[in-house]
Every structure is written in C-alpha cells, then in structure tokens.
C-alpha cells in the first residue's frame, strides 16, 4: 500500500534534500542519523531544524554507526531515516547489505545522494547498484515533489516488504529547488519490538532462511515497481522506431528536448526499482531502438540486456550515445536524440579570473602546512598521506604538501603501509572529524606494530568542508583517546597552532619523524568559518 495521505495544501519551494527531510518527518520518523557529506548534508540539517520534539536527530561518528543506530530504531518498531553521500554508503555497506536479511520492523529508509560529475566527491559511483546488490527496493526522484512523496512512500514499502528501502538522489535533485505540496503528517508510532529475535540473528542457520525470504520477495518487489505510479509508460502511435527510457533526473532533460524533436517517441520512465521488466518489454514491442537516459552509471542500459532479446538496439551511456562520465545534461541528451546544438552564451572573452579552490584566509591549516613543508625540507624520501577534508587543498599550490587523498581515514593506514615498505619518514595528515570517523582503527594497527610513522591530527573543532557541523567529540577528548589506544605518552603531543608557533610545530615534526616508532601530534586551532558562524546573528 502506498502513501495516499491527503495534501494539506501547504506549498513551499524546497531543495530536494529539504523535501526528503520533511517527507521523513511527515512520514512519522522517530529518529534520523547521518554523517555530513555533500550533497546529502542538508537532509540532516533540515531535520535538526524542523523535527518536532521527541524526534531524535543526530550526527554520528560515521555512516556505519549511523546505519546501525537506524537498525536499532527499526528493531524497536519505529520509523527511521539514515542519510549520507554515496561514498558514505561504502562505509555503511556491511550493516546495509546484511540488513536486507533481517525482518525490518519500523520502516528504515536510507537516503543516499550520488554526485555524478564529482562536484565534491572522489568518484561517481551509482547507488542503484548497491540497492540492486542488496536486493532491496529503490526509489529515484526527479523533482523535490517526488523527493517528498517518495520518501513518505519508502517507509510504507519498507514496512510492507520488511526490507530497507534506498532513496537515490543526485546532486541536481538534492541541491535543486522546486515546488512541493506537503501532505498530512503522520505521528511517530509507539515502540513495538519485533517479536521473533531469530529474524535478526544472522547466524548461518537463520541467515540461510532469511536469504531465501529475501529471494522470494523479489517477484513481489518487481510487481510493486511495475505497478508503481513512478513507473509510467506512454506508447506513441508515431512510429519512428525510437523508444526512450528515462530514470530519475533523466526525465527532466529528455522532456526539455522533446518539443524540438517534432514527434513524440514512446517513453518509459523508471522511478522505482527493481527495474520493471514487463514495462520495458511493453515499450520494446513497438520500437526498434531504445535510448536510455539516466544519470550516473549505465545501470538500466546494462540491465535491460537481460530483459530484451538482442534484436533491439539499446543506446545510452555504455554505448557512447551519451558520455560515460560526468553529469547528464540537457545538451548531452539533445545530442543523443539527434538534435542540433542550441546556441550558447559562453563566458569566453569576458576575461573572468580563474578561481581555484583554496583554504580560507586565516584558516589554521595554512600554519600547519607551512610547518609540514618546513619540517620536510631537505629530507630524501618522505611521504605525506592525507585525507578527506578542507586540508586536502594542501595538495594544491602554494603548499603541494600532500601526496594521497583516497577515502575517509585512509591517510593513517596508507602511511603505515608506506612506512612498512620503506618510505620514511611517513607522515599522515588527518582532520579531527575524519580521525574520529575512521582514523582510530588504523591507528590501532600502527600502535600494535609501533610503526615508524608520525600522525598529524589537525583539530579545528568542526567538520569544515561540509558547513561547520560539530565534530562528534570535543577536541579535549582526543589526547586521552589516543593515549588510551596505547600511543607512547612521550611521543604524543598537543600544540596550539598559530602563525607564531609554525617553527615550533616544524621542530616537533622533525623530532618525531626522526623517532623510530609511532608518534602523534595534535595541532589545535578552531576553523575560522566556525568562529564566524558562531558569531553570526541567528534568525528568530
Ligand atoms: S572552512 Fe574552516 S577548515 Fe575549511 S578552509 Fe575554511 S577555515 Fe579552513
């Protein structure tokens, strides 16, 4: 049963992320958990600002702990939203994939914002593959209204099938604004613990039974996606041989170009997954060629190869009809439809200055990187690994101080491996929030082997890059935490980093890099933007 709540008639202009947040609140969540990450951050920001009393809304250490907290809420029979960016789902992959095998109680919806075009991410991965991999349902909005409606519906679907449901967003939906009419809110339900614990204990004998249950649910899930109002098929009588399949935001780009085609191809839109195979076959009956317009990976394009015999020509991102990388745009879709280019108003000739990303003026990382460069001066084979955060800009001029930035928390493990391999001194540079996210466990590896390396934690007291969300624990907790892991107190230092203390930090780094064992230095100074943010007058 899908949500059919009557609209209250309140119309707002909302970001897709805001619409997801309000949809979840109006669906009666009792909790929401998240770790900040563009373009998903605004979902939790909105819930924190708008959730009624009694709704738990928390930033967590990382996406895995967020997902696990959400599982606990579902176990208690209450609805819960967990949100993250696409690479965050990699961190949460273990509980996410396994949670498809437990009997979800209260609806569990995971809103994941993908970033095709990599506006603020290290890859373009497409979360629809992970929903498919987990064998769960997925909804993909193409507007803020759909983001609101689908979020509400996702909770119903989760409870109906006893599985988590993934809501897949892309940057243009998360950060695009359009009108949303909200519906009558539903109140959070009571605590109602799931009755059969065996459905949640994934020891092999139970897991085999639960896996069979999940497999047996697949046919019903496909029936649901076939019947979904988000699967729409319009068969055209105009026989030019072309059928178009759109998914998510692809529909918007396609519809923008249709008037220029001079005819209307048959059109199947997919907003609900598993891919509705029967609808694909009905579309194919009347056409010879199918163009798939989807943002991200060629997920539908590749999947329908298993649905259709080979006599259909299927085009899309994999075939080269659309670019395989970058964001889908109305212009690339236009070209794939065989239309001529539209005239552009370019900015060439305006002499606009290039504006490469850079650290804020007054950012404490300036002083830390100045110290790092000074400490490394004259060394033969140093290696400086780093991490995800504003300090990744240390890769660019004027510092060019770091050599790696792969994924959250990777700097410490990578420095350990490089040191083990003989690259020394090995220096790992990591922010406080990233350290708490996933730097603690690799530091345990380094402690266990007293690895010859130095860790420099830049404690600016905030998650700077995503808009100054609070670091999970105060900076004062870092030193006892690190000491508690077993780092030698003689090689654990906390220093306030100011422009006047650059030489002092450089000297400390040199001393500890010369030490044949593990050392940790915490350089403390608050992010200048966080200070400004705190001093900014608040709206009443
Ligand atoms: S937001 Fe904060 S941490 Fe990031 S560059 Fe600006 S001052 Fe530095």
């Amino acid at each position: 049963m899908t949500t059919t709540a009557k609209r209250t008639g309140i119309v707002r202009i909302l970001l897709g992320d805001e619409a997801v947040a309000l949809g979840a609140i109006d669906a009666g969540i009792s909790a929401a958990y998240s770790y900040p990450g563009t373009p998903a951050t605004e979902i939790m920001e909105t819930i924190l600002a708008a959730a009624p009393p009694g709704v738990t809304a928390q930033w967590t250490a990382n996406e895995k702990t967020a997902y696990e907290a959400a599982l606990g809420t579902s176990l208690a029979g209450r609805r819960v939203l967990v949100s993250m960016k696409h690479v965050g789902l990699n961190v949460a992959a273990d509980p996410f994939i396994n949670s498809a095998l437990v009997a979800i109680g209260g609806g569990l919806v995971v809103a994941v914002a993908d970033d095709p075009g990599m506006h603020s991410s290290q890859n373009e991965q497409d979360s629809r593959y992970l929903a498919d991999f987990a064998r769960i349902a997925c909804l993909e909005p193409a507007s803020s209204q759909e983001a609101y409606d689908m979020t509400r519906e996702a909770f119903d679907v989760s409870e109906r099938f006893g599985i988590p449901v993934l809501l897949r967003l892309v940057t243009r939906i998360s950060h695009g604004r359009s009108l949303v009419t909200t519906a009558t809110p539903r109140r959070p339900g009571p605590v109602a613990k799931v009755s059969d614990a065996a459905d949640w204990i994934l020891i092999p004998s139970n897991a085999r039974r639960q896996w069979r249950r999940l497999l047996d649910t697949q046919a019903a899930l496909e029936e649901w996606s076939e019947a979904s109002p988000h699967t729409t098929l319009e068969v055209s009588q105009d026989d030019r041989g072309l059928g178009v399949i759109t998914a998510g935001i692809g529909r918007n780009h396609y519809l923008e170009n249709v008037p220029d085609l001079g005819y209307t191809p048959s059109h199947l839109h997919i907003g609900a997954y598993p891919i509705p195979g029967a609808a694909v076959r009905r579309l194919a009956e009347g056409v010879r060629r199918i163009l798939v317009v989807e943002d991200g990976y060629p997920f539908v394009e590749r999947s329908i190869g298993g649905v259709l015999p080979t006599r259909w020509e299927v085009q899309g991102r994999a075939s080269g009809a659309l670019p395989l990388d970058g964001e889908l745009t109305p212009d690339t879709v236009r070209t794939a439809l065989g239309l001529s280019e539209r005239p552009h108003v370019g900015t060439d000739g305006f002499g606009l200055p290039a504006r490469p990303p850079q650290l804020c003026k007054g950012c404490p990382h300036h002083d830390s990187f100045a110290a790092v460069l000074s400490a490394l001066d004259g060394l033969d084979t140093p290696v400086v690994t780093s991490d995800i955060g504003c300090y990744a800009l240390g890769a660019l001029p004027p510092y060019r101080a770091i050599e790696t930035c792969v994924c959250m928390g990777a700097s410490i493990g990578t420095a350990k491996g490089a040191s083990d391999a003989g690259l020394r001194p090995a220096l790992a540079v990591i922010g406080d929030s990233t350290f708490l996210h996933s730097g603690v466990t690799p530091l345990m590896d380094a402690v266990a082997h007293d690895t010859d390396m130095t860790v420099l934690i830049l404690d600016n007291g905030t998650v700077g890059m995503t808009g100054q969300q609070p670091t999970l624990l105060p900076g004062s907790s870092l030193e006892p935490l690190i000491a508690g892991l077993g780092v030698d107190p003689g090689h654990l230092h906390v220093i306030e980093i100011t422009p006047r203390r650059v030489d002092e930090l450089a000297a400390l780094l040199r001393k500890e890099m010369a030490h044949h064992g593990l050392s940790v230095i915490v350089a403390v100074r608050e992010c200048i933007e966080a200070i400004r943010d705190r001093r900014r007058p608040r709206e009443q």
Side-chain angles (χ1 to χ4, degrees):
M1 188 184 76
T2 57
T3 298
T4 52
K6 197 166 147 269
R7 299 225 178 277
T8 58
I10 300 174
V11 183
R12 309 168 202 218
I13 300 175
L14 297 177
L15 292 178
D17 278 357
E18 293 169 338
V20 170
L22 288 194
I25 292 169
D26 288 353
I29 53 168
S30 73
Y33 300 98
S34 184
Y35 184 82
T38 311
T41 309
E42 290 85 352
I43 297 174
M44 178 54 91
E45 300 271 21
T46 306
I47 292 177
L48 284 165
V55 172
T56 301
Q58 292 174 356
W59 297 116
T60 54
N62 62 37
E63 295 83 354
K64 181 174 185 283
T65 62
Y67 199 93
E68 288 157 352
L71 270 178
T73 309
S74 175
L75 177 71
R78 309 193 84 187
R79 291 186 163 188
V80 59
L81 179 78
V82 56
S83 56
M84 58 195 69
K85 69 181 295 173
H86 59 322
V87 286
L89 191 56
N90 300 341
V91 179
D94 203 1
F96 168 65
I97 305 285
N98 290 323
S99 69
L101 273 71
V102 304
I104 288 295
L108 193 164
V109 175
V110 51
V112 183
D114 292 354
D115 190 15
M118 294 184 264
H119 296 281
S120 48
S121 308
Q122 64 270 48
N123 75 29
E124 291 198 347
Q125 71 185 55
D126 187 327
S127 298
R128 293 176 300 171
Y129 274 99
L130 279 154
D132 185 61
F133 190 62
R135 312 210 67 152
I136 62 166
C138 172
L139 285 158
E140 186 178 14
S143 66
S144 294
Q145 182 69 64
E146 284 191 356
Y148 176 84
D149 291 339
M150 286 182 175
T151 303
R152 292 192 61 143
E153 183 182 343
F155 286 98
D156 296 336
V157 175
S158 173
E159 289 169 2
R160 174 178 164 189
F161 294 105
I163 53 170
V165 174
L166 190 143
L167 185 78
R168 190 244 181 172
L169 305 153
V170 293
T171 305
R172 298 280 159 182
I173 297 298
S174 284
H175 287 174
R177 285 187 189 277
S178 55
L179 291 174
V180 175
T181 307
T182 55
T184 309
R186 178 187 189 278
R187 294 168 70 86
V191 174
K193 192 174 168 192
V194 292
S195 52
D196 192 348
D199 292 346
W200 279 67
I201 302 170
L202 294 180
I203 55 176
S205 55
N206 292 338
R208 279 192 284 270
R209 186 189 67 245
Q210 292 296 87
W211 175 234
R212 194 62 250 171
R213 175 194 73 95
L214 183 62
L215 293 178
D216 290 345
T217 305
Q218 298 304 305
L221 281 180
E222 194 163 325
E223 269 176 37
W224 161 77
S225 68
E226 296 279 359
S228 167
H230 310 300
T231 300
T232 56
L233 174 62
E234 291 164 36
V235 176
S236 170
Q237 301 310 317
D238 199 337
D239 180 22
R240 310 278 174 108
L242 174 66
V244 175
I245 297 178
T246 59
I249 197 172
R251 183 180 65 197
N252 306 358
H253 299 334
Y254 167 65
L255 293 179
E256 188 174 327
N257 283 300
V258 167
D260 294 343
L261 267 180
Y263 72 103
T264 307
S266 291
H267 175 205
L268 168 65
H269 178 71
I270 298 175
Y273 305 83
I275 289 173
V280 172
R281 283 188 287 272
R282 281 202 303 283
L283 172 87
E285 277 165 14
V287 302
R288 292 181 297 282
R289 180 167 69 92
I290 294 175
L291 174 67
V292 183
V293 179
E294 58 191 324
D295 208 358
Y297 288 7
F299 174 69
V300 173
E301 182 185 354
R302 284 191 174 148
S303 303
I304 64 174
V307 172
L308 296 175
T310 50
R311 67 188 166 88
W312 277 273
E313 184 187 352
V314 179
Q315 297 179 324
R317 306 192 79 150
S319 77
L322 286 156
L324 194 52
D325 63 335
E327 258 184 322
L328 200 66
T329 69
D331 287 341
T332 53
V333 173
R334 189 175 178 82
T335 304
L337 287 166
L339 292 167
S340 55
E341 235 180 84
R342 277 186 290 215
H344 278 84
V345 180
T347 52
D348 298 348
F350 282 90
L352 297 175
R355 298 183 62 197
Q358 50 189 290
L359 296 170
C360 301
K361 204 171 168 201
C363 173
H365 300 334
H366 285 294
D367 302 322
S368 299
F369 281 127
V372 167
L373 288 186
S374 169
L376 295 176
D377 193 28
L379 296 176
D380 281 343
T381 56
V383 61
V384 183
T385 60
S386 192
D387 237 294
I388 310 287
C390 291
Y391 48 91
L393 294 170
L396 304 178
Y399 299 110
R400 298 187 197 277
I402 65 167
E403 295 166 83
T404 70
C405 173
V406 179
C407 66
M408 292 287 283
S411 60
I412 296 178
T414 307
K416 179 184 185 304
S419 171
D420 290 346
L423 264 186
R424 297 186 199 132
L427 176 66
V429 180
I430 186 169
D432 54 331
S433 184
T434 308
F435 175 69
L436 292 173
H437 178 285
S438 44
V440 177
T441 41
L443 185 60
M444 278 191 252
D445 289 337
V447 168
H449 300 282
D450 194 21
T451 304
D452 185 354
M453 62 184 276
T454 300
V455 178
L456 175 62
I457 300 176
L458 307 180
D459 176 10
N460 62 3
T462 190
V463 191
M465 196 168 61
T466 49
Q468 291 78 50
Q469 292 76 30
T471 300
L472 192 69
L473 298 175
S476 57
S477 64
L478 284 182
E479 189 178 6
L481 173 67
I482 295 162
L485 293 178
V487 172
D488 179 349
H491 295 281
L492 170 57
H493 312 271
V494 178
I495 174 171
E496 190 190 2
I497 178 64
T498 64
R500 288 171 180 222
R501 299 186 77 184
V502 168
D503 290 345
E504 198 181 326
L505 177 57
L508 189 57
L509 280 165
R510 262 194 301 275
K511 174 173 153 275
E512 289 302 345
M513 287 192 295
H515 162 64
H516 294 301
L518 178 64
S519 53
V520 179
I521 301 171
V522 184
V524 185
R525 193 168 102 225
E526 191 176 5
C527 158
I528 195 96
E529 279 301 318
I531 296 171
R532 285 193 191 120
D533 202 38
R534 212 175 38 249
R535 291 179 182 161
R536 217 165 271 146
R538 301 272 159 224
E539 282 178 27
Q540 295 302 310

